[in-house]
Amino acid sequence: QVQLVESGGGLVQAGYSLKLTCTGSGRSFSEATMGWFRQAPGKDREFVARINWRGGVIYYGDSVKGRFTISRDNTKNTVYLQMNNLKPEDTAVYYCATRDFGLLTTGDYDYRGQGTQVTVSS
């Protein structure tokens, strides 16, 4: 069974940091694009970041540029999201997702995790 499991979410104050981890099992994701998107209550899914299989091509959503950093460790089948200077508007459920071919977007992915809640208080 192929799974993606996110961890690292929680409740923090604005200005603090969190690091999310997403680990895959059931197959290797070493050649897949991996990424993160988020969804807040009552809002559309929002793209956060994606990283290609070698880690050389990275994109960030405009709202997180300069604050979030995506990285991956293919030996661990894992993608990370370091989130610094968190803001209340970053509050959402964060999902990791993968795609083998094509662009990874909020609506186009092969696998998605169950999500981890991030809550930022002001």
Side-chain angles (χ1 to χ4, degrees):
Q1 182 181 1
V2 178
Q3 279 189 313
L4 295 171
V5 178
E6 302 97 334
S7 61
L11 171 63
V12 295
Q13 289 186 325
Y16 280 71
S17 300
L18 280 175
K19 186 174 185 177
L20 305 183
T21 298
C22 172
T23 299
S25 61
R27 55 155 281 184
S28 171
F29 291 101
S30 62
E31 295 188 2
T33 296
M34 303 185 79
W36 296 88
F37 58 81
R38 64 189 183 186
Q39 189 161 22
K43 295 188 177 180
D44 292 336
R45 284 179 190 171
E46 179 186 8
F47 170 78
V48 175
R50 64 174 173 259
I51 183 169
N52 78 327
W53 68 284
R54 283 187 173 179
V57 182
I58 294 174
Y59 289 101
Y60 294 100
D62 289 341
S63 62
V64 306
K65 282 180 183 175
R67 299 188 298 121
F68 290 12
T69 303
I70 188 170
S71 61
R72 65 189 294 165
D73 184 341
N74 289 338
T75 66
K76 297 181 179 179
N77 230 17
T78 296
V79 62
Y80 306 97
L81 187 68
Q82 176 67 46
M83 305 185 295
N84 297 331
N85 189 24
L86 283 160
K87 303 176 180 181
E89 51 264 42
D90 294 318
T91 295
V93 178
Y94 284 70
Y95 300 91
C96 79
T98 71
R99 194 166 191 198
D100 291 324
F101 301 104
L103 192 62
L104 175 65
T105 70
T106 57
D108 295 304
Y109 52 85
D110 298 320
Y111 300 97
R112 191 204 78 180
Q114 292 299 305
T116 185
Q117 176 71 47
V118 172
T119 303
V120 185
S121 63
S122 57

